Amino acid sequence: MASEHFIGKWELCDSKNFDGYMLAMGVGFATRKIANNLKPTTEISVNDDKITIATKSTFKSQSITFTPGEPYNMPESIDGRKNVEAVQNWEGEALAESQKGPAGEDGFTTGKREIKDGKMVYTLQRKDVSCERIYKKSA
């Protein structure tokens, strides 16, 4: 498990195609404009085999705690989808996740967190649209 590289507080420093990704997710115009101007922080901690990822901004915040490899339910995702089933697994040095909405909904997304050149790169994918959220470590 490569969790020690992810532990700490991270600040968003760059974003590539986030608006396009949110549009593919069905996020409305006003929310996209607000979200594109935010600089959220993400804090990652580990307690035994459980990982907590807390994302905070002035607009929306979310904290999830999970055990890698075990599915979990989010009553609401940070992008507003309801009853999202998710699972996160280690893929080498990367923390990969998949999310899907309730049966019958087309809400499948994937994400991967990797450490590259001292930064955490969070790549999100929805159908054929992807984006990168790049974070620098602050603590």
Side-chain angles (χ1 to χ4, degrees), residues 50 62-67 69-78 81-88 97-103 105:
K50 295 198 179 297
Q62 179 183 54
S63 182
I64 55 170
T65 300
F66 60 90
T67 301
E70 292 184 13
Y72 60 95
N73 183 274
M74 291 185 289
E76 183 174 359
S77 67
I78 203 157
R81 291 173 293 149
K82 308 280 189 214
N83 300 313
V84 175
E85 299 275 331
V87 66
Q88 301 203 33
E97 71 181 297
S98 62
Q99 298 179 357
K100 64 179 178 177
E105 283 189 16

Side-chain angles (χ1 to χ4, degrees), residues 21-68:
Y21 173 77
M22 288 189 294
L23 183 61
M25 291 296 300
V27 176
F29 177 79
T31 301
R32 289 197 329 268
K33 293 305 162 201
I34 293 168
N36 275 317
N37 289 310
L38 296 174
K39 297 290 184 194
T41 59
T42 296
E43 190 164 356
I44 300 175
S45 59
V46 177
N47 186 4
D48 295 324
D49 61 342
K50 295 198 179 297
I51 297 172
T52 298
I53 300 175
T55 302
K56 298 177 184 175
S57 77
T58 56
F59 183 60
K60 268 193 175 183
S61 298
Q62 179 183 54
S63 182
I64 55 170
T65 300
F66 60 90
T67 301

